[in-house]
């Protein structure tokens, strides 16, 4: 006996338990809620990082301003030193003493960094140290200038007196 050919479009019945059909939407909702809560946490962390970055940028600007002020003060102190040195030497020349050559003030030495490393603003401690050294030199030179200027005798009856 010959068999009848089977149809290619035979129907297959698949049975799915009812609990699986009911659990699928619940599982999908849970996955969406989990993703939303995770993204909410990430948004909160991003906001905190942005606030920290803003605060750090403000602190950096303040440090740059302080460093600039220290730099200006150092230049002014160096100019004062040059003026005092010139005045001391002028008075020493009047008194017949040899010229005085004052040592150059110490310059701040930045910490060496490897090639390609970013360079930030100079450390305030470097500028504070440099300015303190310059201030002490100015005070020393001012005292020496006063000591050099005082012993010049004026003749009696001099109108300068």
């Amino acid at each position: 006996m010959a068999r009848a050919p089977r149809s290619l479009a035979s129907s297959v019945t698949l049975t799915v338990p009812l609990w699986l059909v009911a659990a699928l939407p619940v599982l999908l909702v849970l996955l969406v809620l989990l993703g939303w809560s995770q993204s909410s946490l990430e948004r909160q962390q991003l906001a905190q990082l942005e606030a920290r970055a803003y605060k750090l940028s403000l602190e950096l600007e303040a440090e740059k301003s302080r460093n600039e002020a220290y730099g200006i003060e150092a230049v002014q102190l160096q100019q004062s030193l040059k003026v005092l040195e010139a005045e001391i030497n002028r008075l020493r020349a009047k008194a017949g003493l040899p010229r005085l050559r004052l040592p150059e003030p110490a310059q701040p030495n930045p910490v060496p960094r490897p090639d390609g490393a970013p360079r930030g603003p100079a450390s305030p401690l470097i500028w504070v140290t440099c300015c303190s050294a310059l201030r002490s030199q100015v005070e020393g030179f001012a005292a020496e200038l006063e000591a050099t200027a005082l012993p010049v005798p004026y003749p009696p009856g001099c109108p300068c007196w």
Side-chain angles (χ1 to χ4, degrees), residues 19-31:
W19 66 267
L20 184 63
V21 173
L24 191 60
V26 171
L27 183 62
L28 185 61
V29 168
L30 287 176
L31 286 175

Side-chain angles (χ1 to χ4, degrees), residues 28-65:
L28 185 61
V29 168
L30 287 176
L31 286 175
V32 168
L33 287 176
L34 179 65
W36 179 78
S37 67
Q38 184 68 26
S39 67
S40 174
L41 179 64
E42 288 172 356
R43 281 192 302 269
Q44 184 181 17
Q45 289 174 342
L46 181 62
Q48 289 173 347
L49 288 174
E50 286 174 346
R52 176 116 170 97
Y54 179 72
K55 180 181 175 188
L56 288 174
S57 70
L58 291 178
E59 289 175 11
L60 178 63
E61 288 302 315
E63 284 298 318
K64 285 180 181 179
S65 295

Side-chain angles (χ1 to χ4, degrees), residues 48-125:
Q48 289 173 347
L49 288 174
E50 286 174 346
R52 176 116 170 97
Y54 179 72
K55 180 181 175 188
L56 288 174
S57 70
L58 291 178
E59 289 175 11
L60 178 63
E61 288 302 315
E63 284 298 318
K64 285 180 181 179
S65 295
R66 276 194 293 275
N67 283 344
E68 187 176 321
Y70 286 139
I72 291 169
E73 184 179 357
V75 168
Q76 290 171 343
L77 286 170
Q78 285 175 340
Q79 290 170 347
S80 296
L81 284 174
K82 288 178 184 177
V83 168
L84 285 172
E85 180 182 14
E87 187 62 23
I88 288 170
N89 283 326
R90 185 184 69 76
L91 291 172
R92 289 178 70 92
K94 273 187 174 182
L97 298 172
R99 284 182 59 83
L100 179 66
R101 180 72 180 136
L102 301 176
E104 289 293 320
Q107 296 294 322
N109 294 326
V111 176
R113 299 198 180 240
D115 289 341
R119 296 189 185 273
S123 165
L125 184 58

